[in-house]
Amino acid sequence: MTRIGIIIGSTRPGRNGAAVGQWVYDVARQRADAEFELVDLVDYKLPHLDEAYPPSMGQYTQPHTQAWASRIASFDGFVMVTPEYNHSTSGALKNAIDFLYGEWNNKAVGFVSYGSVGGTRAVEHLRLIAGELQLADVRSQVALSLFTDFENFSVFKPGPHQRDTLSTTLDQVVAWSRALAPLRAK
């Protein structure tokens, strides 16, 4: 069965990402077309990139990189949950992405973002990164506003329309992950 990792891309204390990631997971696990798992960057304790060789060489020497690579390799596609910090994604998510190369290739990715303007600028940066990593980014994305989808900017209460958008995003991630399976088999 197709396996999709839902990556929580913030490690900041008091983050909104854990609640958003849990919501994505709760909606996703009601589906029967794929297996979904939460992947929380907090659990990996990745330092600032500390591998001597470029990730494209696949010569990982650090135990934390090897564990991270194994986890990412186990999935056929991803949903990245990202905050928007300073008109971009979080440093923690960018660092985690940069640790690897081949493990991302020929897989699909969708985005769930949050911020003052829905995190859309963070996703635009992630789409550029995805292209370089041979990740096929799907068009649909969930953009959660801190003003309308959170109470007091911290209690997650998504509008009812967001679930439909998430369902469309998940539909696309699962379909594209399946479509790219022959490329991953090579």
Side-chain angles (χ1 to χ4, degrees), residues 16 149-157:
N16 288 324
D149 294 302
F150 293 83
E151 185 177 280
N152 297 321
F153 303 102
S154 61
V155 178
F156 184 50
K157 293 189 176 181

Side-chain angles (χ1 to χ4, degrees), residues 103-125:
E103 293 78 7
W104 300 115
N105 294 175
N106 300 315
K107 298 179 181 182
V109 64
F111 303 103
V112 175
S113 58
Y114 57 95
S116 60
V117 291
T120 56
R121 296 171 294 202
V123 171
E124 290 306 310
H125 287 196

